[in-house]
Amino acid sequence: CSMAGARLLVAELGDRFFVRNSKGTGDTFTVTGIVDLGSVQGNAQVFLSLDRARSFLGLDGVSAIEVKVKDVFAAESLAATFRREFSRVKFESWQERNRELLTALRSQSGSSGVIQFFVLFAISLGIASVLGIAAVQKSRQLGILKAMGVDNRGAARIFLIQGLVLGVGGSIVGIGLGYVIGAVFLRFLGTGTF
C-alpha cells in the first residue's frame, strides 16, 4: 500500500479489508507494508503477488512491466533500443508518457531565463543611475581633485574603482543573504512547518 492510500483509508500495518472487483467477486487483503514512492502517480499503486493479482483481476498474464533505470534521461534511448529488438512489445518511456509535463518544464525554464535577464538588466540600470547620481553629487570633491592636478582619466578611474568595490561588496553580501534565506526556507519547507 502507498503512503497516500494508507492515509486515505486510515490503514495501518496488519489491517485487513475486503475489496470487490468489477465482476462482483471479492477478496480479503492484509496491509503488509506501506511505501512512499515520491510521486502522486507512484503512490496510487497497490502491490500484490502475481498469483493473487491474476486470480483477483482475472488476468491471463502480465500486462505491463515497469523498469527503473540508473540515468532517468536515458530512458527514451533505452526504450528506442528495446523497440528495435522486440517488435511485438510496446515500450514507453517516462518522457513519452509525460510529454506535457516536459513541455511545461522547458517553457518554465525559458521564461525563467528571460525574467532573470530583465532582472539583471534592471539592476544594472539601477547601479548605473546610483553611480551617476553619486558622481553628480561629488562635483565638489571632483573639483578639488581637478585642482590638485588629477586629469579626467584619473577621476573616472576613482569612480570606477568605487563602483567596483560597491558592486563586489554588494554581491558578496547578497549571495550570503540569499544562501541563508534559501537554507532557512528549504529547512522549513522540508519539515512542512512555517
Side-chain angles (χ1 to χ4, degrees):
C1 186
S2 68
M3 284 278 234
R7 274 194 224 110
L8 186 65
L9 297 171
V10 194
E12 296 179 0
L13 287 176
D15 285 356
R16 295 171 60 82
F17 56 93
F18 182 80
V19 179
R20 189 176 306 277
N21 62 21
S22 59
K23 296 177 181 176
T25 61
D27 201 353
T28 303
F29 295 94
T30 304
V31 178
T32 57
I34 298 173
V35 295
D36 183 8
L37 298 176
S39 72
V40 175
Q41 187 177 10
N43 285 341
Q45 298 180 13
V46 174
F47 298 96
L48 299 171
S49 67
L50 188 57
D51 293 333
R52 196 90 187 267
R54 279 182 181 164
S55 64
F56 180 70
L57 299 170
L59 298 173
D60 295 341
V62 177
S63 59
I65 297 175
E66 291 194 14
V67 178
K68 181 178 178 182
V69 293
K70 192 171 186 179
D71 180 10
V72 293
F73 294 104
E76 184 62 41
S77 61
L78 192 62
T81 304
F82 285 145
R83 279 187 208 110
R84 285 192 297 271
E85 291 181 19
F86 305 98
S87 58
R88 292 174 49 193
V89 181
K90 179 182 177 184
F91 289 94
E92 195 175 35
S93 68
W94 69 269
Q95 289 109 320
E96 198 174 345
R97 275 183 159 177
N98 301 298
R99 199 173 302 278
E100 295 86 11
L101 173 66
L102 288 173
T103 303
L105 288 174
R106 284 192 197 104
S107 300
Q108 181 183 9
S109 176
S111 62
S112 175
V114 170
I115 290 169
Q116 287 174 8
F117 169 76
F118 281 111
V119 166
L120 287 174
F121 182 70
I123 289 170
S124 302
L125 285 178
I127 290 171
S129 65
V130 166
L131 288 175
I133 291 170
V136 169
Q137 289 177 342
K138 295 189 184 284
S139 58
R140 198 175 285 161
Q141 290 92 340
L142 191 57
I144 293 170
L145 286 171
K146 289 245 184 190
M148 291 171 58
V150 176
D151 60 349
N152 288 342
R153 265 187 146 169
R157 195 176 304 124
I158 290 170
F159 284 106
L160 285 174
I161 291 171
Q162 179 187 7
L164 182 67
V165 169
L166 287 173
V168 169
S171 297
I172 291 170
V173 171
I175 289 169
L177 280 173
Y179 179 79
V180 169
I181 290 170
V184 169
F185 180 73
L186 286 176
R187 179 179 173 145
F188 285 123
L189 186 68
T191 59
T193 57
F194 281 97

